[in-house]
């Protein structure tokens, strides 16, 4: 298997035949996280995953999805936030894919699909 | 052990990779740390002629279809969607990609033809890089490339050391490193990084670019491709960080401030090349008619030529026939042979078909004179029916148009009503749905042979589905739209006073404006995600909150030592207004009348590389190299710690 691998690769004079085991070529970060957790490092030892920023304790400010202005209102139908009546009127003609685009951009996920 | 040779310094950032020798002033190689594979089908096209082509050209062809990396990517805009990076966040996870990038680096640095990379390498890695990633990196470099020694360091700390050259006595600092995928807050006390108190915000330049891209994409769905190539330029040159975000926003809410400060970007626009998709229905029809006319023209011309030919030929044949009638048989035979005609009968037959063909063509030409454009237009324009005065007819049309408009509005209204709960329309909709479902169930329960309620016998029955469909009521309104256009056309033609905003002259004027992007609030809204990650749905604490969090992990005296030297580095530290904003935030979170100072890196993008260089040039540098021998003895995870490195925590053995 190693032979076929090195054959496919472009021949470089400065390289020696070498290939990672197949399951190590690509490991997503989530998998690395699980591996580290399973190794049970001492609790006080900092790792990549313990250095994550803590969740924010401040209430998230609300901004209009479309204009970015401070938004006191939410359209109960589309769930978009809006700042004023003009914006609300313009929202009514948005196609549903754009509405969903704004919602996912803000990270909004509804409980009911 | 003395440093054997020149060292290769690689600042392997997730946005840009910088490579150079330790004894130079600048990295010789800088490239976007991405690669792309040209599409498969193009590869196939390139390789098809291989079989017949000589080997040399086949090799060339294959090279052109191979993976493109960094600066070798021919058109980075065209392949934007297919760019691949070895990184996930700031950690290398895809080792195939990383290997290809090393191939690229080493061949660009002139190692082609050598047997191994016989130079020690200084390489940056992520802060608290997981052991498994480091092991793989060491294996790759030692086993595959035959590197004699390695040194791993953290880009932010290298940058800090570079900065320390000018501030030699400073040993404590709060480093804020703005990366492409992450932002770090790194406390340093007595020249030692306080690793357990470092915090990482997983928001960076990538998120900023992406946020702007998505916003513009949804604001101008039509100009998707034109936008994507301009995003980075917009971010780099026009985005800045607001001193007081809320206040700035309220300013933008004022119309006159908006008018005065909005940046309008004119996209390339020329009317001639307007694509088919952007034309109105009328324009499309006009175009189609023109095309048809042109085709007809060509056909007519060809027909006329053919007619002429036929007539000439007929003339020749007639002469032949005359020869026969004048009993000049010998001459006749010879002429027949010349024309390749067998005998008299065939001659007669040929003449017959020719005359009939000529006659047919001529008849058609007479019966259907070539229509002139103007004539055509007038013909198509409907006229008032006979016996009805024009004015009456027009008012009738106008009424019909009004009716259509009203119907359209009613539908819109209904749709909105249905979308809400507790309205009559919504309840009606639910009632219909449940009736439909019940009858469906009943039919199924009885094995399908229940008495038919006759649903579907009448075409109108199916309209019930239109009524319960919440979104797509456009199927039947398409026809209405066309009808409306038709009415409008007629009204425009006969009625000079008919006022329509969509008339052609206006359209030409505003067409260019349709190609303008308005860039206003976005300039502050986009980089603001560093301070308010909640704007992109990220639950992590924003930068200011994070700094406060990190400071609270220290004693009051240590806190003061840290904030006395806040150091900003990384490419994203170049945003205008960042320093001022941080000063404002620090002022808010520090005790009253306490002091702090913020320093910016004088070369935020390159200082990490320069700092690594600096360390490589120092006297006792060889002590921080992980040599091949050490690698073989302690394994891939092991590395020598030094002033700019991570801390080594061996993976616990079970």
């Amino acid at each position: 298997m190693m032979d076929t691998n090195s054959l496919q690769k472009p021949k470089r004079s400065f390289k020696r035949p070498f290939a990672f085991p197949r399951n190590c070529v690509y490991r997503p970060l989530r998998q690395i996280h699980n591996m580290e957790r399973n190794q049970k490092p001492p609790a006080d030892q900092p790792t990549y995953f313990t250095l994550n920023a803590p969740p924010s304790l401040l209430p998230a400010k609300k901004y209009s999805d479309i204009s970015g202005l401070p938004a006191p209102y939410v359209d109960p139908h589309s769930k978009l936030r809006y700042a004023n009546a003009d914006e609300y009127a313009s929202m009514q003609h948005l196609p549903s894919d754009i509405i969903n685009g704004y919602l996912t951009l803000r990270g909004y996920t509804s409980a009911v699909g | 052990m003395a440093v054997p040779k020149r060292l290769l310094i690689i600042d392997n950032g997730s946005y840009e990779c910088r490579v150079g020798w330790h004894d130079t002033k600048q990295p010789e190689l800088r490239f976007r740390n991405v690669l792309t594979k040209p599409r498969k089908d193009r590869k196939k096209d390139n390789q098809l002629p291989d079989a017949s082509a000589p080997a040399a050209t086949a090799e060339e062809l294959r090279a052109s279809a191979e993976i493109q990396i960094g600066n070798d990517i021919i058109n980075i805009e065209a392949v934007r969607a297919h760019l691949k990076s070895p990184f996930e966040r700031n950690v290398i996870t895809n080792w195939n990609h990383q290997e290809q990038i090393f191939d690229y680096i080493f061949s660009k640095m002139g190692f082609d033809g050598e047997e191994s990379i016989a130079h020690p390498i200084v390489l940056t890695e992520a802060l608290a890089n997981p052991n498994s990633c480091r092991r793989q990196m060491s294996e790759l470099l030692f086993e595959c490339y035959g590197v004699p020694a390695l040194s791993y360091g953290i880009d932010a700390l290298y940058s800090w050391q570079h900065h320390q050259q000018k501030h030699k006595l400073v040993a404590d600092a709060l480093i804020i490193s703005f990366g492409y995928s992450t932002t770090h807050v790194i406390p340093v006390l007595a020249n030692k990084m306080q690793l357990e108190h470092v915090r990482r915000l997983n928001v960076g330049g990538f998120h900023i670019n992406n946020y702007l891209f998505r916003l513009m994409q949804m604001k101008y769905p039509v100009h998707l491709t034109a936008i994507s190539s301009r995003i980075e330029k917009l971010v780099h040159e026009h985005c800045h960080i607001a001193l007081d975000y809320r206040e700035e926003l309220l300013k933008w809410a004022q119309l006159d401030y908006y008018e005065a400060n909005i940046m309008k970007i004119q996209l390339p626009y020329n009317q001639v090349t307007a694509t088919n998709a952007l034309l109105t229905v009328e324009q499309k029809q006009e175009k189609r008619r023109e095309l048809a006319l042109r085709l007809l023209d060509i056909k007519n011309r060809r027909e006329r030529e053919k007619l002429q030919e036929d007539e000439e030929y007929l003339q020749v044949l007639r002469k032949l026939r005359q020869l026969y009638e004048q009993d000049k048989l010998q001459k006749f035979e010879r002429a027949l042979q010349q024309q390749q005609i067998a005998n008299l009968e065939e001659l007669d037959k040929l003449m017959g078909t020719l005359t009939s063909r000529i006659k047919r063509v001529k008849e058609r030409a007479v019966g259907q004179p070539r229509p002139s454009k103007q004539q055509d237009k007038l013909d198509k324009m409907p006229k008032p029916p006979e016996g009805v005065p024009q004015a009456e007819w027009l008012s009738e049309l106008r009424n019909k148009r009004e009716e259509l408009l009203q119907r359209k509005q009613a539908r819109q209204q209904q749709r909105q009503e249905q979308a809400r709960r507790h309205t009559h329309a919504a309840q009606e909709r639910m009632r219909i749905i449940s009736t439909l479902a019940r009858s469906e169930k009943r039919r199924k329960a009885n094995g399908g042979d229940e008495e038919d309620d006759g649903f579907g016998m009448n075409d109108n029955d199916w309209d019930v589905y239109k009524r319960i469909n919440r979104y797509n009521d456009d199927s039947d309104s398409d026809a209405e739209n066309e009808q409306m256009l038709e009415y409008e056309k007629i009204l425009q033609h006969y009625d000079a006073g008919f006022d329509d905003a969509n008339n052609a002259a206006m359209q030409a004027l505003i067409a260019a404006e349709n190609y303008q992007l308005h860039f206003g609030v976005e300039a502050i809204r986009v980089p603001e995600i560093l301070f308010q990650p909640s704007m992109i749905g990220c639950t992590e604490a924003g930068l200011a909150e994070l700094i406060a969090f990190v400071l609270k992990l220290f004693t009051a005296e240590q806190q003061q030592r840290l904030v006395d030297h806040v150091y900003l580095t990384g490419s994203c530290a170049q945003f205008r207004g960042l320093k001022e904003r941080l000063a404002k935030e620090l002022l808010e979170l520090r005790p009253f009348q306490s002091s702090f100072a913020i320093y910016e890196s004088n070369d935020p993008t390159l200082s990490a590389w320069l700092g690594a260089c600096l360390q490589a040039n120092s006297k006792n540098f060889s002590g921080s190299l992980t040599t091949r021998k050490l690698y073989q003895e302690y394994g891939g995870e092991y590395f020598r710690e030094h002033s700019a490195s991570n801390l080594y925590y061996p993976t616990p053995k079970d």
Side-chain angles (χ1 to χ4, degrees), chain A residues 13 24 48 51-53 56-57, chain B residues 90 113 136 144 200 202 545:
Chain A
S13 64
C24 296
Y48 182 83
L51 297 188
N52 263 330
S56 178
L57 299 177
Chain B
N90 56 345
Q136 278 183 286
C144 185
R200 179 191 59 237
N202 293 313
E545 203 185 344

Side-chain angles (χ1 to χ4, degrees), chain B residues 448-499:
Chain B
D449 53 18
E450 207 242 343
E451 93 292 354
D452 202 349
D453 59 355
F455 183 89
M457 299 292 279
N458 194 342
D459 272 350
N460 290 342
D461 287 351
W462 300 104
D463 284 348
V464 80
Y465 285 107
K466 264 182 210 156
R467 285 185 58 198
I468 61 171
N469 191 345
R470 215 186 269 184
Y471 298 107
N472 300 329
D473 63 341
D474 292 330
S475 56
D476 62 345
S477 64
D478 270 356
E480 280 185 12
N481 279 343
E482 249 165 55
Q483 187 83 51
M484 190 127 89
L485 274 178
E486 184 70 14
Y487 289 157
E488 274 168 11
K489 208 162 71 185
I490 298 169
L491 287 171
Q492 255 173 11
H493 184 76
Y494 288 102
D495 193 350
F498 181 70
D499 173 42

Side-chain angles (χ1 to χ4, degrees), chain A residues 9 13-16 20 24-25 27 29 36 45 48 51-54 56-57 63 65-66 68 101-102 106, chain B residues 88 90 93 95-96 99 103 113-114 128 130 136 144 198 200 202 218 249 525 532 537 539 541 545 649 651:
Chain A
K9 283 176 196 163
S13 64
F14 49 74
K15 284 175 79 171
R16 302 163 186 191
F20 284 115
C24 296
V25 172
R27 270 205 204 112
L29 215 46
E36 284 211 347
Q45 175 190 322
Y48 182 83
L51 297 188
N52 263 330
S56 178
L57 299 177
Y63 300 105
D65 287 299
I66 296 170
Y102 276 121
R106 198 219 300 161
Chain B
E88 179 175 344
N90 56 345
T93 53
W95 294 93
N96 264 342
E99 190 178 336
D103 285 351
E114 289 184 32
Q136 278 183 286
C144 185
V198 169
R200 179 191 59 237
N202 293 313
M218 283 186 291
L249 277 187
R525 183 183 181 185
Q532 299 185 42
T539 54
E545 203 185 344
Y649 295 98
T651 305

Side-chain angles (χ1 to χ4, degrees), chain B residues 335-436:
Chain B
L336 271 190
Q337 254 176 19
Q338 221 173 11
Q339 296 289 338
Q340 294 181 328
I341 299 170
N343 49 28
L344 186 63
E345 263 172 51
E346 200 173 313
L347 178 67
D348 280 341
K349 214 159 101 192
L350 205 58
M351 281 172 73
T353 52
L354 270 181
T355 38
S356 68
R357 188 152 74 197
I358 290 168
K359 209 172 128 196
R360 209 165 52 225
V361 171
K362 272 185 177 163
E363 259 172 19
R364 207 187 310 155
V366 170
Q368 199 187 50
R370 227 168 54 99
S372 78
K373 266 189 202 173
Q374 202 53 39
Q375 189 64 38
D376 184 53
K377 237 182 191 167
L378 279 180
D379 276 349
K380 287 246 167 113
M381 192 53 75
K383 292 193 179 74
E386 279 176 41
V388 183
Q390 185 169 313
E392 199 176 300
W393 179 62
L394 282 183
S395 72
E396 192 183 317
L397 277 184
R398 216 167 290 149
N399 286 343
K400 274 187 189 161
R401 180 171 169 272
E402 281 301 308
E403 201 179 301
L404 279 183
L405 272 178
Q406 270 170 12
R407 219 182 298 166
K408 208 173 176 182
Q409 268 173 356
R411 248 201 324 269
Q412 176 91 14
Q413 182 81 26
Q414 192 200 355
R415 193 168 49 169
Q416 281 180 10
E417 297 241 309
Q418 275 188 353
R420 291 189 189 115
R421 296 167 88 182
H422 309 308
T423 57
H424 175 69
Q427 280 168 5
E428 179 69 9
R429 178 169 169 266
M430 287 316 294
R431 193 189 60 75
I432 297 175
I433 290 176
S434 60
T435 346
L436 284 173

Side-chain angles (χ1 to χ4, degrees), chain B residues 132-170:
Chain B
S132 63
C133 296
R134 186 177 306 109
R135 192 185 67 234
Q136 278 183 286
M137 180 61 92
S138 295
E139 280 174 9
L140 187 66
L141 284 171
F142 282 118
E143 304 286 351
C144 185
Y145 295 97
V147 173
L150 266 175
S151 172
Y152 293 110
I154 300 164
D155 50 351
L157 294 183
Y158 280 136
S159 171
W160 163 243
Q161 290 185 349
H162 180 247
H163 178 76
Q164 263 183 318
Q165 265 191 306
K166 284 193 189 146
H167 304 263
K168 284 214 160 57
L169 295 175
V170 182

